[in-house]
Amino acid sequence: MCLIITGQSSKVRSTLLDTHGLLSDIFTSNPDGIGFMYGTAKGLKVTKTLPKNLGDATAFIQRLPQDEREIAIHFRWTTHGKTDMLNCHPYDVIPGYIAMMHNGVLHTGNAADKSKSDTWHFIKDYLHSAVSSAPDLVYDAGFVSMMEEFIGNNRFVFMNGEGRMQHVNFDQGIEHDDMWFSNTYAWTPSRLIPSYKSATALKSYNYSSYANGYMDDYDEMHDYNASFGIYPRSVSAHSANYDETAYDFPDDEVGFVRPESDDLAVALTECDIESVEIWLETMPAYTITTMLHCFTPEPLSYTHRDDLCVAEQGIYDMLMEGDASGLISYATKSYSSAGMIAEVVCYYLSWDVRKPMPIKPTLPALLT
């Protein structure tokens, strides 16, 4: 996940500290490091921490300058690399002069060094040499446009020693009160913006909306919940005693929620492929990493890997290996990708809900 916030330092500081429950909500979802950057008379200031609890996070936010300078702050949730200070954002692009923050999962991965994040590898492999030769490149409209096309559903924020900021994929975030938030899925926007509700947008949800636009409008729907009247099943769909007709699934409303671990447990037990497919379509990174963190896939006794087609076998292997990065990359390739993953998840594996599984981040194929 992760979240970047940009804006005037005093406003960002007061918003995080004075908005009831906001910092707790952000830190709970993104507990693996906080860092901020801003310009000073002596150059770029970068400060990072690995808070152990909300008290540590609050104390760190209190260190933000109480003035009008522009600032960027990053809350990390680990998807690639170790959870340590090296992988805490921001990263140096040119040490001491240009730094960068990233939100998303890059298709370029971290295969060369699994201890480092995908962001670290992207800077090393793509940015450092070019930007070192021409530091203003990160402010060039053509270069920014090229980066946006290459990284897809990801956001970057650059800043130099004068405090000049550059967003990449600015439109994928949201703005409020002259502040910019890089997404809506790694926090609860309604805590800050009471009127921020997009439940009604779900009434017209269709596949073309996924193809034509960024899906953040749907990601924040973790408060759009049991109103659909879907009742839990007491018998696993893998059981011979399972009776689909015994359960009511109303058709008069269309919508979805961001799955918590309990929601995923019910869906996996019931083989609820429709819910799993929607979650994978609209919030692939969150759904896949949460599922692999909380549950362990087990082979079925009556269906074997060799019974699957080649594509399904690849998905099966990634699930068994805990390859979150590979699955996220695959889920965003085409309309049918999420459905195929959902089928393998629900029909060809059983899930142990009692013990967590370590996530194995690996290099995904380039998105095409």
Side-chain angles (χ1 to χ4, degrees):
M1 291 193 283
C2 300
L3 176 67
I4 304 171
I5 305 172
T6 65
Q8 290 185 355
S9 183
S10 59
K11 182 170 288 186
V12 172
R13 182 183 187 277
S14 62
T15 298
L16 290 171
L17 294 176
D18 299 340
T19 305
H20 178 70
L22 180 61
L23 182 57
S24 176
D25 175 61
I26 293 173
F27 176 69
T28 299
S29 297
N30 308 274
D32 297 327
I34 308 174
F36 56 78
M37 57 185 179
Y38 58 85
T40 74
K42 297 181 179 180
L44 186 64
K45 174 71 172 180
V46 170
T47 306
K48 308 179 186 183
T49 189
L50 299 176
K52 297 179 181 178
N53 50 50
L54 180 59
D56 290 348
T58 301
F60 186 70
I61 300 303
Q62 290 172 336
R63 297 170 59 186
L64 295 177
Q66 300 187 60
D67 55 34
E68 295 183 354
R69 78 185 77 190
E70 291 294 305
I71 194 168
I73 185 167
H74 184 283
F75 296 84
R76 185 182 186 223
W77 188 69
T78 302
T79 56
H80 293 74
K82 295 181 178 180
T83 300
D84 56 19
M85 288 293 284
L86 177 63
N87 287 311
C88 187
H89 301 232
Y91 287 84
D92 284 330
V93 180
I94 302 177
Y97 186 65
I98 292 182
M100 184 189 98
M101 295 174 174
H102 164 229
N103 170 211
V105 177
L106 292 163
H107 63 263
T108 47
N110 69 334
D113 184 347
K114 299 295 183 62
S115 70
K116 308 294 196 309
S117 73
D118 53 341
T119 312
W120 185 93
H121 284 80
F122 190 89
I123 292 170
K124 175 179 179 292
D125 296 339
Y126 297 96
L127 291 178
H128 174 70
S129 177
V131 176
S132 294
S133 300
D136 285 342
L137 196 60
V138 297
Y139 304 104
D140 179 82
F143 185 73
V144 170
S145 178
M146 181 178 66
M147 278 194 293
E148 289 176 340
E149 182 175 353
F150 183 69
I151 67 175
N153 187 6
N154 287 265
R155 278 71 59 203
F156 291 163
V157 174
F158 293 92
M159 184 178 285
N160 69 9
E162 288 82 45
R164 184 183 177 191
M165 197 180 307
Q166 177 65 57
H167 297 77
V168 178
N169 281 329
F170 181 89
D171 291 342
Q172 292 181 2
I174 64 168
E175 293 181 89
H176 174 71
D177 196 20
D178 296 323
M179 294 177 290
W180 178 82
F181 298 79
S182 63
N183 65 62
T184 60
Y185 56 78
W187 64 299
T188 307
S190 59
R191 290 188 180 275
L192 178 62
I193 318 168
S195 62
Y196 190 82
K197 297 182 183 296
S198 61
T200 54
L202 299 175
K203 305 296 183 180
S204 60
Y205 169 73
N206 55 62
Y207 286 103
S208 64
S209 66
Y210 180 76
N212 296 329
Y214 184 63
M215 291 301 296
D216 272 350
D217 283 342
Y218 304 101
D219 287 344
E220 80 280 16
M221 290 311 304
H222 39 303
D223 62 346
Y224 195 59
N225 46 34
S227 61
F228 299 107
I230 298 176
Y231 302 101
R233 299 169 178 172
S234 58
V235 179
S236 170
H238 290 301
S239 170
N241 297 323
Y242 173 72
D243 178 11
E244 172 67 33
T245 62
Y247 303 96
D248 177 32
F249 284 78
D251 296 325
D252 58 339
E253 293 196 72
V254 179
F256 55 85
V257 300
R258 185 177 80 167
E260 304 297 340
S261 59
D262 289 345
D263 301 316
L264 281 168
V266 172
L268 295 174
T269 301
E270 297 172 358
C271 297
D272 183 0
I273 188 172
E274 291 84 3
S275 293
V276 173
E277 182 175 359
I278 288 174
W279 292 331
L280 287 168
E281 286 171 346
T282 58
M283 52 196 90
Y286 174 85
T287 301
I288 289 167
T289 53
T290 301
M291 180 172 63
L292 293 178
H293 180 73
C294 297
F295 310 105
T296 303
E298 300 288 347
L300 296 174
S301 59
Y302 49 84
T303 302
H304 305 286
R305 179 184 180 279
D306 292 342
D307 299 327
L308 310 182
C309 70
V310 173
E312 290 171 335
Q313 288 180 356
I315 295 169
Y316 184 98
D317 291 341
M318 286 188 285
L319 288 165
M320 292 298 294
E321 294 171 3
D323 184 1
S325 180
L327 287 163
I328 293 166
S329 176
Y330 188 88
T332 58
K333 279 192 172 182
S334 69
Y335 296 151
S336 61
S337 297
M340 186 173 293
I341 294 175
E343 288 181 5
V344 177
V345 166
C346 293
Y347 294 158
Y348 302 130
L349 290 167
S350 179
W351 293 84
D352 188 335
V353 300
R354 294 171 295 179
K355 54 187 178 182
M357 178 181 183
I359 297 174
K360 173 189 175 184
T362 57
L363 178 68
L366 287 175
L367 296 177
T368 57

